[in-house]
Amino acid sequence: MTTRQPRPGVCRADLHMHSVFSDGLKTPDELCQRAQKEGIQTVALTDHDTTAGLDDMAASAQSHGLEWIPGVEIGCGDEGRVHLLCYGPGVQTQEMTAFLDGMSSDRQSRLQEMVRLLEKQEVHLTPEALASLNRPNVGRAHLARALVACGVVSTTQQAFDRYLADGRCAFVPRKLLTVTQTVALARGYHAVPVLAHPMRLKLEEPALTALIGSLKEAGLMGMEVFHPSATPRQARQLEWLARREGLLVTGGSDYHGDAESQARMGHLPTGWDAVNRDLQALRNAILTRF
């Protein structure tokens, strides 16, 4: 593993990133190249509802001298508003793969319905754009990019605001497990479940604290404290809550590779002073689970 120091403002670990195997724009090798350039030492690929890119990520991480942790990000709860990051070799078991394959099939059906709803609004995609959506684990981000490519909107955010966000004309809800069911599933398959970007839930502090408590009882093992959706002050509050509850503390940029996105690999809220200790705690938890 490399001992190169991260660039100023870059954390030595990034445990949340996406590749072309879900809704990211970079290959696993491109992600590892960038991580090495930034001086990041520990990475985790956490594609949405798929582990298809993990073998490529493992090979690339090794070739670039990076520590690598297998992962996946699973949407759950009402409209998929809650995301769980699951870590460890357990995400690649036959049982987990079969579960994720079912989610991929549901994604395809959902995409077809969203395209149909767009056509009802006289929004038509070109044959080339439609062909770009013929892929596993397709999601709204892919459709948003297709709308940009067709000139329907200028940015992917505009695509969500006009058509694809909850309550808009082409929004289609997903068929998902509850959060507690997903936590139990991850634990059952020997993965380490971590609540992703809790500030995106937009809950008041008492409600978030209650949620964390109930999920801990269901088997939640950690919380993604250091994520771009949290301000440094919010990250400190989340860290205090996680440590009080005895949960693992993790961090990640949620990097997708979009030029218009503010997410930059390795750039997390300041204050992850215990990153080395927290990484070791995560490693220990993974070994215990698998």
Side-chain angles (χ1 to χ4, degrees):
M1 186 179 68
T2 183
T3 57
R4 179 182 176 185
Q5 292 302 306
R7 290 185 176 185
V10 175
C11 184
R12 61 148 295 189
D14 193 329
L15 305 181
H16 188 166
M17 59 182 71
H18 300 275
S19 77
V20 294
F21 285 92
S22 65
D23 60 348
L25 293 178
K26 306 296 184 183
T27 66
D29 192 59
E30 288 171 329
L31 293 174
C32 289
Q33 287 181 38
R34 184 175 184 87
Q36 184 186 47
K37 182 179 179 180
E38 295 288 345
I40 298 168
Q41 300 168 20
T42 304
V43 294
L45 179 63
T46 54
D47 276 325
H48 292 286
D49 306 329
T50 182
T51 57
L54 293 187
D55 287 344
D56 286 357
M57 190 70 174
S60 297
Q62 182 176 9
S63 69
H64 291 286
L66 305 175
E67 179 188 17
W68 167 76
I69 298 174
V72 65
E73 184 174 12
I74 302 176
C76 51
D78 292 341
E79 314 298 353
R81 290 190 179 92
V82 178
H83 289 187
L84 287 180
L85 294 163
C86 301
Y87 294 109
V91 304
Q92 293 179 284
T93 59
Q94 184 176 358
E95 296 85 356
M96 179 67 92
T97 299
F99 168 73
L100 295 175
D101 285 346
M103 296 190 75
S104 179
S105 179
D106 288 340
R107 281 178 171 271
Q108 292 284 353
S109 300
R110 183 193 189 207
L111 187 281
Q112 293 171 7
E113 178 63 12
M114 287 190 287
V115 170
R116 187 188 70 81
L117 292 173
L118 286 170
E119 290 176 344
K120 286 184 64 176
Q121 299 296 319
E122 300 298 323
V123 177
H124 304 288
L125 299 179
T126 64
E128 293 79 11
L130 287 171
S132 73
L133 299 174
N134 185 20
R135 54 180 294 157
N137 283 84
V138 68
R140 286 185 295 169
H142 299 104
L143 184 51
R145 291 170 188 152
L147 290 170
V148 173
C150 292
V152 176
V153 292
S154 300
T155 66
T156 55
Q157 186 59 53
Q158 196 174 75
F160 276 87
D161 293 341
R162 291 186 182 178
Y163 302 108
L164 306 179
D166 189 357
R168 299 304 180 185
C169 62
F171 175 77
V172 177
R174 296 178 63 191
K175 301 173 184 178
L176 300 168
L177 298 180
T178 66
V179 184
T180 54
Q181 287 173 332
T182 308
V183 168
L185 179 142
R187 292 289 298 258
Y189 295 156
H190 307 291
V192 174
V194 172
L195 179 65
H197 39 65
M199 295 314 300
R200 282 191 178 174
L201 298 175
K202 300 188 183 303
L203 297 175
E204 296 294 332
E205 185 175 344
L208 179 60
T209 301
L211 174 65
I212 297 300
S214 65
L215 292 181
K216 180 186 174 184
E217 290 183 4
L220 184 74
M221 298 179 69
M223 182 161 55
E224 186 181 43
V225 169
F226 297 94
H227 180 274
S229 62
T231 65
R233 180 174 180 272
Q234 289 170 332
R236 287 194 298 271
Q237 293 172 332
L238 291 174
E239 182 179 16
W240 177 84
L241 176 59
R243 298 198 190 283
R244 187 191 72 175
E245 295 294 329
L247 295 172
L248 298 166
V249 171
T250 72
S253 65
D254 211 348
Y255 180 73
H256 285 71
D258 294 275
E260 66 185 69
S261 172
Q262 294 183 350
R264 299 162 59 197
M265 188 184 294
H267 288 259
L268 312 180
T270 58
W272 197 4
D273 300 325
V275 56
N276 292 332
R277 184 183 71 191
D278 291 332
L279 285 173
Q280 188 57 51
L282 177 60
R283 296 184 196 107
N284 293 342
I286 289 171
L287 289 173
T288 301
R289 294 296 306 141
F290 199 74

